[in-house]
Amino acid sequence: MTFNSFEYFIFLPVVFMLYWFVFNKSGKSQNILLVLASVFFYCWADWRFLALVIINALFNYYMGISIAGAKKEKTQKHLLWAGVAFNIVILGYFKYFNFFYDSFVDMLNFFGSHANPSSLKLLLPLGISFFTFQTLGYLIDIYNYNIKPSRNLLAFSTYVIYFPKIIAGPIERAQKFLPQIEGKRTFDQDMAIDGLRQMLWGLFAKIVLADNLFPVVHGIFSNSGSETGSTLFMGLILSTIQVYFDFAGYSNIAIGTSKLFGIRLMKNFDTPFFSTNISDFWNRWHISLSSWMLDYLFTPLSFVLRKRKKKGLILSIMITFIVVGFWHGANWTFIVFGILNGIYYIPLILKGKVIKSSLGGSSKIFPSVTEFVQMLGLFLLLSVTIIFFWVNNIAEAFTYLSHVFSPSFFVLPDLKRVVYIIPAIIIFFVIEWMTRDKDHPLQFSGQPVYLRWGSYLIIGFVVLLAFEKDPNAFIYLQF
């Protein structure tokens, strides 16, 4: 069951009605329903790893209490490292065992040992990267006295397995989530309506845009050897946009769904393609991951390496983005993705300042020429980088790029594939630009009723027309 499936549009109203009309007596009863609904949701997606989620919740619940209850700082530190090790080992085993094993076999073969890889291929539990980072951050925050451990197992279990975020985030912080579910929630009509609007925008991004771009992008990458350079370049541009539509669409549906239950999740995307530099981009793209890496990895690293000054900052950035890349997937292509993003930071560090764009909250109707050139240049740079999301190995990426910048680059690309979707893409980004100071583009304020409802009906109708019985999976489900 995914957010863009027919089953979900039956599941969600049922849970909503039970939550507000049957299990509405107390916060405890509401949490019981959320846990049961989340277990059902996760089992529908893949029941084989439910036990792993339960073990994660129980272990980190009791480990958090143990860290806070330890009398000596040394004991606290040992318990923290035990908790971190447990979470990392579980994540590493399921997500990275195949990668390290295959890399080891390849190294042996490189030195002429003629080793034969086994057929062992571990399945990847859904959402493991997301709920592991959540609980890692929880333990670290307890150790740093940023939060007190939860002593309500039901509430903590709700935090771990809550179905709007269990599969692909956002990576929620316990100090913001747990206080919202420790007491009874009362129905907030305005919040629920806003949640429906945000879900609608997310469905438009996923079903109408991302899913229609996918066959175009997949076709270009699958036949890259026979495509012209200009068509391959178009593939780079569209693949970058498609990744954004897909994951931002997912995040908006998740956040909007949660609002229906009176629980706010953190914003995960903030018009990232309007950024004018790489630092600003990562402040706006996959915010829950980038802020997690900033707080729990980059900041401690930069503190340890502070005596090395700019060299220390560069090293901290490079390590952080290598981890960001590896978090995305067990492949050398993702490591290269992280390295490239780290390299893009170096000029900002050498200049002695990391600039944040003011475009997000400005009242400008149009960006300046300088700002537009900066946005366009950054987008093209990111498009070259995103190629490592799509290829199977590094060699394929460089082969693709070498074909892009061949003489056929100046041949007109095959626009017949995308002519039908280009107007929708343009409309999407125009609306995002006009509403860039909002939490989401359909958060109208002060607009006439006919304009608001006309927009909802048109978008809803287009989503229904594009809806498919067997929808495409969200890209980030594989992470």
Side-chain angles (χ1 to χ4, degrees):
M1 187 190 309
T2 57
F3 290 162
N4 58 331
S5 66
F6 178 76
E7 293 82 5
Y8 187 72
F9 295 118
I10 297 175
F11 166 81
L12 182 59
V14 170
V15 176
F16 177 84
M17 297 298 288
L18 290 173
Y19 184 82
W20 290 116
F21 294 101
V22 179
F23 288 78
N24 62 336
K25 307 302 180 185
S26 65
K28 180 179 179 179
S29 60
Q30 289 174 322
N31 290 341
I32 288 173
L33 176 66
L34 290 180
V35 168
L36 292 175
S38 299
V39 167
F40 179 84
F41 178 85
Y42 194 86
C43 286
W44 189 289
D46 193 342
W47 59 270
R48 293 169 293 182
F49 293 106
L50 176 63
L52 182 64
V53 182
I54 294 173
I55 291 171
N56 178 280
L58 290 174
F59 175 85
N60 287 288
Y61 173 76
Y62 288 108
M63 182 56 75
I65 293 174
S66 299
I67 291 172
K71 302 299 183 182
K72 298 180 179 179
E73 183 179 349
K74 186 176 181 180
T75 305
Q76 287 183 320
K77 185 176 292 187
H78 288 162
L79 288 170
L80 172 66
W81 280 112
V84 170
F86 174 85
N87 284 283
I88 294 297
V89 167
I90 295 297
L91 176 62
Y93 176 73
F94 282 103
K95 188 166 184 176
Y96 301 108
F97 177 86
N98 291 330
F99 169 78
F100 287 115
Y101 177 77
D102 291 342
S103 297
F104 179 70
V105 170
D106 290 341
M107 183 183 68
L108 292 178
N109 288 331
F110 178 79
F111 289 105
S113 67
H114 304 292
N116 293 316
S118 72
S119 59
L120 177 62
K121 292 294 180 183
L122 297 175
L123 296 175
L124 181 64
L126 286 172
I128 188 170
S129 297
F130 293 90
F131 64 73
T132 299
F133 269 42
Q134 272 191 168
T135 47
L136 271 175
Y138 171 74
L139 296 182
I140 295 170
D141 282 336
I142 291 174
Y143 176 78
N144 290 329
Y145 299 101
N146 293 327
I147 58 171
K148 294 181 179 180
S150 172
R151 297 184 182 274
N152 184 332
L153 181 57
L154 176 61
F156 186 78
S157 299
T158 306
Y159 166 63
V160 173
I161 201 172
Y162 185 47
F163 74 88
K165 65 178 179 59
I166 181 64
I167 302 297
I171 304 171
E172 202 66 28
R173 304 294 179 91
Q175 54 263 53
K176 292 185 178 179
F177 187 91
L178 286 173
Q180 296 186 75
I181 62 170
E182 288 173 346
K184 178 184 175 183
R185 275 77 73 193
T186 56
F187 183 70
D188 185 329
Q189 180 175 314
D190 292 337
M191 186 176 178
I193 291 174
D194 190 57
L196 290 173
R197 294 191 194 107
Q198 193 161 2
M199 287 180 65
L200 180 61
W201 187 248
L203 289 168
F204 176 70
K206 168 60 177 172
I207 295 175
V208 178
L209 299 175
D211 287 356
N212 277 286
L213 281 174
F214 176 77
V216 179
V217 172
H218 181 71
I220 293 174
F221 275 79
S222 299
N223 301 287
S224 58
S226 59
E227 300 284 6
T228 64
S230 57
T231 299
L232 295 177
F233 181 75
M234 182 176 71
L236 288 180
I237 301 299
L238 295 180
S239 66
T240 305
I241 294 172
Q242 201 255 333
V243 169
Y244 172 61
F245 287 158
D246 195 281
F247 193 28
Y250 180 97
S251 296
N252 277 314
I253 300 169
I255 296 167
T257 293
S258 190
K259 287 179 179 178
L260 296 179
F261 300 99
I263 301 171
R264 293 188 182 276
L265 300 180
M266 70 179 297
K267 190 173 185 177
N268 214 19
F269 287 87
D270 186 13
T271 59
F273 292 150
F274 300 148
S275 305
T276 56
N277 63 79
I278 191 65
S279 175
D280 193 37
F281 174 80
W282 278 103
N283 283 327
R284 298 165 178 266
W285 176 279
H286 202 346
I287 298 169
S288 63
L289 174 65
S290 57
S291 62
W292 195 100
M293 291 292 180
L294 173 68
D295 292 343
Y296 301 115
L297 185 56
F298 173 76
T299 299
L301 277 174
S302 60
F303 180 78
V304 170
L305 298 170
R306 65 190 182 281
K307 291 183 180 180
R308 296 179 179 269
K309 298 182 180 179
K310 289 184 179 180
K311 290 181 180 178
L313 279 177
I314 291 172
L315 183 57
S316 300
I317 281 285
M318 293 304 300
I319 293 173
T320 299
F321 273 100
I322 288 172
V323 175
V324 167
F326 205 38
W327 177 91
H328 279 86
N331 196 315
W332 288 104
T333 56
F334 292 108
I335 294 177
V336 173
F337 168 82
I339 291 172
L340 289 174
N341 275 280
I343 291 172
Y344 300 156
Y345 264 84
I346 294 176
L348 293 179
I349 295 173
L350 293 177
K351 289 179 181 178
K353 57 182 179 180
V354 177
I355 308 166
K356 183 175 180 181
S357 169
S358 61
L359 286 171
S362 71
S363 58
K364 295 180 181 179
I365 299 177
F366 301 106
S368 68
V369 174
T370 300
E371 290 166 339
F372 179 77
V373 170
Q374 290 173 334
M375 287 190 289
L376 181 60
L378 179 62
F379 178 81
L380 294 175
L381 193 65
L382 293 168
S383 296
V384 172
T385 311
I386 289 288
I387 188 176
F388 293 96
F389 265 66
W390 294 92
V391 296
N392 296 314
N393 53 64
I394 297 172
E396 281 188 21
F398 286 108
T399 299
Y400 188 103
L401 289 172
S402 66
H403 290 164
V404 169
F405 300 107
S406 65
S408 62
F409 176 81
F410 299 99
V411 177
L412 186 68
D414 182 8
L415 296 176
K416 291 184 294 183
R417 306 181 186 187
V418 295
V419 67
Y420 68 96
I421 196 68
I422 286 177
I425 294 174
I426 293 172
I427 290 171
F428 182 95
F429 283 118
V430 168
I431 294 174
E432 275 212 337
W433 173 261
M434 293 170 61
T435 59
R436 60 194 183 279
D437 59 334
K438 308 291 184 183
D439 285 339
H440 61 86
L442 294 186
Q443 201 171 53
F444 291 116
S445 59
Q447 301 297 328
V449 173
Y450 68 86
L451 180 61
R452 287 187 281 118
W453 278 98
S455 301
Y456 306 150
L457 291 173
I458 291 171
I459 294 172
F461 180 70
V462 173
V463 169
L464 287 175
L465 285 179
F467 184 83
E468 296 182 4
K469 185 178 180 181
D470 297 314
N472 291 331
F474 288 89
I475 292 174
Y476 266 70
L477 297 190
Q478 64 184 299
F479 302 144

